[in-house]
Amino acid sequence: MKKRVATALTYSFLSLLFCASCASKKGAELPIIYKEALYRNERGMALFAEGRNSDAANEFQRSLRINRSTDNRKGIAINLINLGRVYLEEQRLDEARAALDEATAISDSLMDQRLISEAYATMAKYFFAAGDNRQSMDSLKKGMEIDQREGFKGIGGKLNLAGFIYMQEGELTKAEASFNEALSKNLASEDTIETANSYRGMADLLEIKGMLRDAGESIEKALDNDKKDGVSRRIATDLRRLGSLALKENDINRALGYYLRSLDVDINSGDRASAAADLEIIAGIYKKSGDNEKALFYQDERMRILK
């Protein structure tokens, strides 16, 4: 369960990314140097969505350098929060903590409630990754208090994170309540990314209860929402999850169908590492089914991709 929770939190992390342009006055003409900072930040977001974490970090750092060179404090805080999230994805916890500590200090000095809320939410992810669920929940609650007071729509994503923390702690009733509330908030705000996260969390709970078919239906709903955004990495993850559930139901043909679809998405989106993982699972299924010829074919394909 821990591995699946970590995957879901990756997507929650992505949904909290926001661009520096959100902090600019609409209609105001920006100097070229600020436009460049905005472009680099937005490009970092797009690269992260594609799973290109190193490239995303480079773009956020380029935006950060520009913002530091102009003493754009709000831009600096945004870049640091985004960098912290990429570092967390990469398990670079010390670097994430340093970035988030500075981002929190700047956000506090600016008294920018949205930035403070996002800093708390990201720090919650840091504590969760560091294995400190109590500190994680404390930080998360501070962010949610701000969201509730200010009416920010980001509370749905934070409720999802709370649900995954409760689930890891074995508090399944609280986890279910948190996911249900998150789903309601996310549907109301038309947040497709966090709506998908809510459905994934519910699927986890249903699987724990042994309700595999219901869990699959929940993942199908997550997949429908992820397709609206067109982010290949999330779509492929949903398809793999459906394949895993089908395997647990001993429905080999349905499982193969999902894994082959995931493979198609990964290959055509350029995610070679995930494609190799898909091929390994597919080869294993065929080998277990006694079809050694196809098992060897897909193993050879995996080796070809990894070269």
Side-chain angles (χ1 to χ4, degrees):
M1 182 173 71
K2 287 184 179 179
K3 184 177 181 181
R4 200 160 55 243
V5 169
T7 301
L9 286 178
T10 296
Y11 300 139
S12 180
F13 155 75
L14 173 64
S15 72
L16 293 173
L17 289 173
F18 53 95
C19 62
S21 59
C22 300
S24 303
K25 288 185 178 180
K26 291 182 178 179
E29 184 66 26
L30 292 173
I32 292 175
I33 192 168
Y34 290 140
K35 289 181 179 180
E36 179 69 11
L38 299 180
Y39 169 75
R40 294 300 173 189
N41 193 71
E42 291 172 358
R43 179 160 169 75
M45 291 169 58
L47 289 167
F48 180 84
E50 295 173 8
R52 296 167 60 183
N53 298 340
S54 179
D55 292 335
N58 288 337
E59 292 297 329
F60 289 138
Q61 287 163 350
R62 292 176 74 174
S63 182
L64 177 61
R65 284 194 293 272
I66 295 171
N67 283 321
R68 287 196 190 280
S69 76
T70 56
D71 194 38
N72 179 6
R73 304 297 284 167
K74 180 172 268 188
I76 292 168
I78 290 171
N79 294 147
L80 288 168
I81 290 171
N82 287 345
L83 273 170
R85 291 167 176 173
V86 177
Y87 293 150
L88 286 172
E89 177 73 7
E90 296 285 290
Q91 293 295 303
R92 296 158 63 180
L93 298 189
D94 290 343
E95 292 168 273
R97 182 63 190 267
L100 295 174
D101 280 343
E102 186 181 358
T104 300
I106 294 173
S107 300
D108 283 338
S109 71
L110 294 171
M111 294 185 289
D112 187 309
Q113 297 303 298
R114 185 177 294 279
L115 281 180
I116 294 169
S117 171
E118 296 298 334
Y120 276 134
T122 313
M123 193 64 84
K125 175 94 186 306
Y126 163 79
F127 284 123
F128 185 82
D132 192 338
N133 287 348
R134 183 186 63 79
Q135 284 267 59
S136 179
M137 188 61 77
D138 286 347
S139 294
L140 195 57
K141 286 179 178 178
K142 290 176 182 178
M144 287 193 288
E145 286 172 4
I146 293 172
D147 288 351
Q148 290 172 330
R149 184 177 68 245
E150 302 292 333
F152 297 150
K153 74 173 187 176
I155 193 169
K158 296 178 180 70
L159 286 164
N160 277 333
L161 176 52
F164 288 114
I165 294 171
Y166 284 133
M167 187 160 54
Q168 193 175 76
E169 290 288 293
E171 298 186 68
L172 302 187
T173 300
K174 288 183 179 180
E176 184 173 6
S178 190
F179 287 131
N180 282 329
E181 185 179 358
L183 180 61
S184 176
K185 298 286 187 184
N186 293 326
L187 287 171
S189 64
E190 298 182 343
D191 187 335
T192 53
I193 294 175
E194 289 298 344
T195 296
N197 286 339
S198 297
Y199 282 126
R200 275 188 282 271
M202 291 174 174
D204 283 349
L205 290 172
L206 290 165
E207 184 176 353
I208 291 170
K209 295 176 182 179
M211 302 169 67
L212 300 181
R213 188 53 61 95
D214 290 336
E217 290 175 2
S218 192
I219 294 296
E220 289 281 7
K221 292 177 182 178
L223 178 61
D224 288 342
N225 278 275
D226 286 332
K227 284 184 175 182
K228 291 176 183 177
D229 293 319
V231 178
S232 298
R233 184 171 61 168
R234 297 204 309 269
I235 292 168
T237 297
D238 291 334
L239 290 167
R240 278 192 292 274
R241 182 73 190 284
L242 287 166
S244 174
L245 289 167
L247 280 180
K248 289 185 176 182
E249 292 184 89
N250 293 316
D251 192 333
I252 303 301
N253 289 332
R254 189 157 58 93
L256 276 171
Y258 286 128
Y259 281 117
L260 288 168
R261 285 167 61 187
S262 175
L263 174 63
D264 199 28
V265 172
D266 287 331
I267 287 176
N268 285 284
S269 65
D271 189 344
R272 296 166 65 88
S274 293
D278 295 331
L279 286 163
E280 185 172 15
I281 293 171
I282 293 167
I285 292 173
Y286 276 120
K287 185 174 182 179
K288 192 173 181 179
S289 301
D291 193 334
N292 293 326
E293 185 177 348
K294 285 187 177 178
L296 183 60
F297 170 80
Y298 283 105
Q299 281 288 8
D300 288 343
E301 283 294 295
R302 177 177 177 273
M303 295 304 296
R304 183 181 62 82
I305 283 180
L306 290 175
K307 287 182 179 178

